[in-house]
Amino acid sequence: MQLLYSSMSPFARKVRVVAHELGLTERLALTLIDPWTDEALRADNPLSKVPTLRTDDGLTLYDSPVLCDYLDVLGGGGVIPAAGPERWRALTVQALADGLGDAAVRLVRERQRPEAERHADLVVRQTAALTAGLDVLEADVPIGARFQIGEIAVAAQLAYFDGRAVIDWRPGRPRLAAWFEAASRRESMVVTAPRQA
Ligand SMILES: N[C@@H](CCC(=O)N[C@@H](CS)C(=O)NCC(=O)O)C(=O)O
């Protein structure tokens, strides 16, 4: 399999952590690509987003939840709860974390614009999503007893917040901060840590 990714992408990191947790790292070839500038990506993914996965059986898959689902099936399961309330809870936590990532990426892109061209309403709305989502996570810690898709998605996004200085999220959220400290020490998080680009 070939994963088209960028090293800073929190969505790609989530997929790489999932692969590691499932013991699939050896089967995953990594190809760096810049989704913002490299039009070649569009041949695989018309949205030109990372992560995008080329599977060994000729499929091209995108959107990170689909990739995580694919890897979980390939790896015999364990990262996405198979059934019951814990499945829906885990997938919803993943959706929350991914939504935080969408907001964060939009904020980072906005900050890269000249100050006079920034949209204050966008910054206010995306920051509100970040604040509210982080508060939900703080109230929910421990998110789950195991390091499954919800926890992996949250850890990948919190690491991105730090890497890009998106938001100073620790003040007022001591439980989430302590949880992230421990999560960051997992081997899957350590080996997938981004190289600053
Ligand atoms: N919903 C997508 C989001 C992926 C995403 O937004 N990736 C960013 C990089 S972190 C990207 O490729 N952006 C390029 C663009 O939006 O044009 C997923 O979960 O895979």
Side-chain angles (χ1 to χ4, degrees):
M1 293 174 287
Q2 188 182 14
L3 184 72
L4 308 178
Y5 82 112
S6 70
S7 69
M8 284 303 287
S9 168
F11 305 98
R13 181 147 186 216
K14 176 182 64 170
V15 171
R16 293 176 60 207
V17 171
V18 164
H20 194 93
E21 293 285 339
L22 290 164
L24 294 172
T25 307
E26 304 273 290
R27 296 173 62 180
L28 198 64
L30 299 176
T31 300
L32 274 171
I33 194 158
D34 183 342
W36 301 101
T37 59
D38 195 336
E39 272 299 308
L41 179 58
R42 223 176 276 284
D44 287 297
N45 179 345
L47 305 175
S48 189
K49 291 190 182 195
V50 290
T52 294
L53 182 72
R54 295 184 188 142
T55 74
D56 291 341
D57 40 6
L59 297 171
T60 303
L61 307 178
Y62 41 83
D63 224 72
S64 59
V66 177
L67 272 54
C68 293
D69 202 348
Y70 180 84
L71 293 175
D72 192 55
V73 171
L74 195 67
V79 157
I80 303 177
E86 66 272 29
R87 174 175 172 80
W88 308 120
R89 180 174 150 76
L91 292 177
T92 301
V93 173
Q94 176 184 213
L96 172 60
D98 287 359
L100 294 179
D102 289 333
V105 169
R106 291 183 76 175
L107 282 173
V108 168
R109 296 290 294 177
E110 195 64 13
R111 282 181 199 160
Q112 289 166 349
R113 298 160 69 91
E115 207 157 340
E117 290 175 23
R118 291 184 200 158
H119 300 95
D121 54 341
L122 181 153
V123 173
V124 168
R125 187 158 178 84
Q126 301 309 319
T127 304
L130 286 185
T131 305
L134 284 162
D135 287 345
V136 165
L137 292 173
E138 170 70 9
D140 263 6
V141 170
I143 301 163
R146 300 174 62 190
F147 197 61
Q148 292 183 303
I149 191 64
E151 293 76 25
I152 293 170
V154 170
Q157 295 301 343
L158 293 178
Y160 178 77
F161 293 174
D162 288 348
R164 288 284 199 221
V166 175
I167 184 170
D168 188 14
W169 58 270
R170 287 179 179 79
R173 301 188 186 94
R175 301 170 72 225
L176 189 59
W179 174 84
F180 178 62
E181 222 42 56
S184 301
R185 287 196 290 271
R186 286 186 76 91
E187 187 180 292
S188 58
M189 287 295 291
V190 172
V191 301
T192 57
R195 281 164 287 137
Q196 296 287 336

